[in-house]
Every structure is written in structure tokens, then in C-alpha cells.
Amino acid sequence: MSKYYLNYLDELESEAIYILREVYAQFQNPVILFSGGKDSILVTHLAKKAFYPCKIPFPLLHIDTGHNFPETIQFRDDLVKNLGVQLLVGSVQESIDAGRVAEERGKHATRNALQITTLLDAIESNKIDCAIGGGRRDEEKARAKERFFSHRDDFGQWDPKNQRPELWNILNGKHFEGEHFRAFPISNWTEMDVWNYIKREQIEIPSLYKAHNREVVWRSDSWIPVSEYLKLEENEKIHTKKVRFRTLGDITITGGIESDADTLDKIVLEVAAMKQTERGNRTDDKRSDTAMEDRKREGYF
């Protein structure tokens, strides 16, 4: 009797689609957390596959800090239009204006942590019981602790010691009123897996991931893009470099790397030779050794 084997990308795809369908089966009002980065784009593509020929049955939820790359917002709007899905937007600026959060000050000020309040407010106001994210275990040690179904209490907080066991692919999404879950269908993917899959599926991605000429400043051991939000120090100079970004966040904290990788083939080869994690150029993660876990405990993505 002949045996049929899936290659590793097919196995990862199958696992992710299973989790997405479990979310649809177990929750009443789930959403996909969409940042415009490659991981959330990948999750959206997998959701499209999971429910084809129907449309994706989840809205996309974007927490807009107001400090995004313009290319990211344009990509988001084009994708939503092409897919014909609903877009929900939570505004950090509105949270600031309402006095819900206070703007950070100083050279390394960022709105990244301010997203927590805006996200939790959006989850509560839209009665969301599961938010599907693109977090992967290989990104950061705090994310390595995550389950596929990540329980959050009625304050939206994450306790890594109080998570459900996930044996034999049995996922438990039961929760009390006010609690919710985060689901991570690509937890077992690596950065290399993501790029190989994007290449195989020919998934459209923002141009920011490909090498391009850009005005940048050397800060925190990476090339920070020049923008209206960047305040230069006296000793800092603007350079024009050919850079690309391995991960996308706020334009104020996302560092680029010098690169000639302007095609998917070149990106795959470049990533294969990398020794530093893709979040190594995110200045918000350099604030402390537990920066990511501290934010996640408060309700971060």
C-alpha cells in the first residue's frame, strides 16, 4: 500500500488551516489582527484558503498608532478592497485624545505600548471573543511560551502559567463572560518558513520588505527611517542607504538592514544566512530583557 507524504510547508499550512477552522467553530465573534506585516498577511492568506470559495468570515482589526509607514496603510487598504472583507480600526491617537493613555516623550519615545489600551478597548467595544494573530514562537522568548489558543482574563491580561493544555490537537476555547482568547495559527512557523511559503504562493507583500533606497539614521545599532516623527540628535546625520525591513512596526522604532535583496529569491537566501532574530532591529524590544513579556502580560499582541 502506497503512502502519501506532505512536505513541511504543506504540513504547516494544514495545521494553520485546522486552527483557523477551530476558531470559526468555537467562537462567536473572532477577528484577524492585521498589522500589514508579513505574518498577518500570511494568516489572512491562510484564512482565504481555509474558507474558499467563501469569503474570509472574520473582519480584520488594525490598531493604528498613527506612526505607520505610509506604504503599510496603502497595502492594508488595497488588500481589504481586493478581499472584500470588513476592516475594523482602533486609533491610538483617539486613545491619547480621550486621555486613556499618555504620549511618551524623549528620544526613544514610541507608541508601541500604547496599542495595548486601544486593542483592549477595541476588543471590548466590538465584543470580540478571539483575536487571531501572526505571532510565532521563534520570534522572541515570550512568544515561545504561547499556545495555539492563548487565554486572556477579563482584564485582557496573559498569564503564561495559566494556559490550557493542548494534547492531541484538542483546543479548548471555553471562557467566561469578559474573557477572550488570542489564537496563533502560525506558531510553529519560522521566519524561513514564512518566506519560503510566500515565495511558493506568490503572496503580495509591502515593498518595504524588499531592498530600496531610503533616508535613514544610525540609531540603536540599526538604520531608523527618517520621518516627520523622528527627532534628530546633534550628532546624528541623515544617510541614503539601500535597506530593507525584516519586520514592520511603527516607523519610529523599526530598524532596517543594509541589503541588496530586492526579490523573494534573494530574501530567502539572505534570511538563510542570518544569525540575528528578525526583531533584533526593533528598538522597543531593546528596552529590557523582558520587554515583550511585560507588554504581553498587560494585553499586547
Side-chain angles (χ1 to χ4, degrees):
M1 182 178 178
S2 61
K3 294 183 178 180
Y4 176 71
Y5 295 97
L6 297 174
N7 71 28
Y8 80 101
L9 286 178
D10 289 329
E11 289 182 358
L12 290 171
E13 178 190 72
S14 179
E15 179 182 66
I17 286 175
Y18 167 75
I19 293 163
L20 287 164
R21 289 173 176 168
E22 279 293 301
V23 170
Y24 183 69
Q26 295 193 39
F27 297 97
Q28 300 299 314
N29 191 29
V31 298
I32 294 175
L33 294 172
F34 189 83
S35 67
K38 66 182 184 307
D39 297 323
S40 61
I41 293 170
L42 173 59
V43 170
T44 304
H45 176 83
L46 290 164
K48 180 182 175 181
K49 272 197 161 186
F51 301 101
Y52 184 84
C54 298
K55 289 183 179 180
I56 297 173
F58 318 123
L60 304 186
L61 173 60
H62 179 221
I63 303 303
D64 184 0
T65 64
H67 289 176
N68 297 284
F69 285 90
E71 296 95 327
T72 303
I73 298 300
Q74 186 61 56
F75 184 92
R76 178 201 72 182
D77 293 342
D78 291 343
L79 182 66
V80 167
K81 182 179 179 180
N82 291 336
L83 292 176
V85 296
Q86 181 185 6
L87 174 66
L88 305 174
V89 179
S91 171
V92 171
Q93 185 61 55
E94 290 181 5
S95 297
I96 294 171
D97 295 341
R100 296 279 292 146
V101 293
E103 185 89 72
E104 287 187 6
R105 305 295 179 188
K107 176 180 177 180
H108 297 292
T110 169
R111 289 186 170 184
N112 195 37
L114 306 189
Q115 296 179 88
I116 297 171
T117 298
T118 307
L119 172 61
L120 295 179
D121 286 348
I123 287 173
E124 183 177 3
S125 62
N126 291 285
K127 301 185 185 305
I128 294 165
D129 54 1
C130 183
I132 307 164
R136 306 189 327 269
R137 294 188 177 115
D138 79 318
E139 288 182 274
E140 208 273 342
K141 55 183 177 293
R143 287 185 168 169
K145 300 177 183 179
E146 283 285 16
R147 307 289 172 87
F148 288 124
F149 276 17
S150 177
H151 175 264
R152 305 298 167 106
D153 65 20
D154 51 356
F155 293 101
Q157 296 176 329
W158 172 67
D159 181 358
K161 296 181 180 179
N162 186 29
Q163 297 296 316
R164 312 284 172 78
E166 294 179 345
L167 306 175
W168 305 291
N169 291 329
I170 298 174
L171 305 176
N172 182 0
K174 292 183 179 180
H175 59 283
F176 293 108
E177 184 71 25
E179 299 176 343
H180 72 278
F181 273 78
R182 309 286 171 85
F184 300 103
I186 61 170
S187 282
N188 287 335
W189 298 52
T190 65
E191 183 186 11
M192 193 66 176
D193 296 334
V194 170
W195 282 116
N196 278 327
Y197 188 80
I198 288 173
K199 176 185 172 184
R200 188 185 82 170
E201 300 285 304
Q202 290 299 297
I203 301 172
E204 187 176 356
I205 56 173
S207 58
L208 297 164
Y209 283 113
K210 298 179 180 180
H212 59 286
N213 290 320
R214 197 178 200 100
E215 288 189 336
V216 290
V217 171
W218 183 251
R219 180 184 291 182
S220 299
D221 297 324
S222 60
W223 292 108
I224 303 297
V226 174
S227 70
E228 60 182 300
Y229 313 110
L230 186 70
K231 296 180 180 179
L232 294 178
E233 299 288 302
E234 290 185 3
N235 61 335
E236 290 180 329
K237 295 181 180 180
I238 296 176
H239 305 268
T240 299
K241 295 284 184 178
K242 192 171 185 180
V243 300
R244 76 174 193 88
F245 301 93
R246 294 176 69 191
T247 179
L248 297 184
D250 273 5
I251 197 170
T252 58
I253 59 172
T254 303
I257 58 171
E258 290 189 71
S259 173
D260 291 317
D262 53 5
T263 66
L264 289 177
D265 286 331
K266 291 180 181 178
I267 290 173
V268 168
L269 290 175
E270 184 178 82
V271 170
M274 289 287 184
K275 295 183 179 180
Q276 184 185 43
T277 174
E278 65 192 283
R279 293 189 67 92
N281 289 314
R282 291 283 290 270
T283 59
D284 53 324
D285 287 350
K286 298 178 181 179
R287 293 190 169 192
S288 73
D289 290 339
T290 60
M292 171 66 82
E293 180 156 341
D294 292 341
R295 294 198 305 270
K296 282 178 65 61
R297 285 179 179 272
E298 296 173 7
Y300 190 69
F301 305 103

